[in-house]
Amino acid sequence: MEAELAALAASGATTFVGLMATEAWTQVRGRLARFLGRGEDDEVIDAELEESREELIAARRNGDEDGAADVAAEWRIRIRRALRDNPEAEQELRAILDELAPRQAAGPSVAINHNTISGGHYNAPVIMAQWVNDGAPLHGPAGTGPRVRLPESRRGALTPPS
């Protein structure tokens, strides 16, 4: 069980430190301060988090990888202590991390098509794809997002003459 908590603490520290240098940090910082402070030292922890953020940004700006790693190690230890001292904290941290995790599209991220165009004259680029996902959320299960049907007059422009 201790190894599982250590892995969860490491995951939390990696996620939080990764977000320190982003615009999302202001929202995440408050949640992390409340998680670690358990309602008692939220403001003190919030100030410590902001100080760590400044240290992290300075370390990255100066190419100081050890300094950036020290910030992550400090918060990994503090998160691990919070998990060890409070059994309910594990579920709370998991919920926070689940909310912050980037959404991954279900299904393959790469599909290979082999298309051949021969004959005819094409005066513009021809683009073919099995599917395209630009990161926009899908509606329903993978592959059931909105579909566009080309008018009959435009379909011939996408297929080579026979």
Side-chain angles (χ1 to χ4, degrees), residues 3-17:
E4 185 178 327
L5 291 181
L8 181 59
S11 175
T14 300
T15 300
F16 295 131
V17 171

Side-chain angles (χ1 to χ4, degrees), residues 83-95:
L83 292 170
R84 185 184 61 219
D85 295 345
N86 188 342
E88 297 88 39
E90 181 180 354
Q91 292 303 327
E92 185 180 345
L93 180 58
R94 288 187 192 281

Side-chain angles (χ1 to χ4, degrees), residues 33-54:
R34 285 188 300 278
F35 169 78
L36 291 169
R38 311 308 292 163
E40 295 177 15
D41 300 327
D42 296 1
E43 292 178 14
V44 173
I45 293 172
D46 189 66
E48 292 171 345
L49 286 165
E50 189 56 31
E51 183 180 330
S52 289
R53 177 183 184 271
E54 291 169 8

Side-chain angles (χ1 to χ4, degrees), residues 128-149:
M128 293 185 210
Q130 178 180 354
W131 52 265
V132 177
N133 181 350
D134 63 356
L138 297 173
H139 303 286
T144 62
R147 298 176 190 269
V148 176
R149 184 161 177 84

Side-chain angles (χ1 to χ4, degrees), residues 22-98:
T22 69
E23 291 179 18
W25 178 243
T26 54
Q27 295 171 349
V28 174
R29 185 181 73 208
R31 290 196 67 186
L32 182 56
R34 285 188 300 278
F35 169 78
L36 291 169
R38 311 308 292 163
E40 295 177 15
D41 300 327
D42 296 1
E43 292 178 14
V44 173
I45 293 172
D46 189 66
E48 292 171 345
L49 286 165
E50 189 56 31
E51 183 180 330
S52 289
R53 177 183 184 271
E54 291 169 8
E55 290 174 11
L56 176 70
I57 291 171
R60 287 183 177 170
R61 187 180 314 121
N62 297 326
D64 180 8
E65 292 183 30
D66 289 337
D70 288 347
V71 172
E74 174 186 352
W75 291 105
R76 183 181 64 248
I77 291 167
R78 293 199 52 187
I79 292 169
R80 188 173 180 179
R81 281 188 197 132
L83 292 170
R84 185 184 61 219
D85 295 345
N86 188 342
E88 297 88 39
E90 181 180 354
Q91 292 303 327
E92 185 180 345
L93 180 58
R94 288 187 192 281
I96 292 170
L97 293 176
D98 285 346

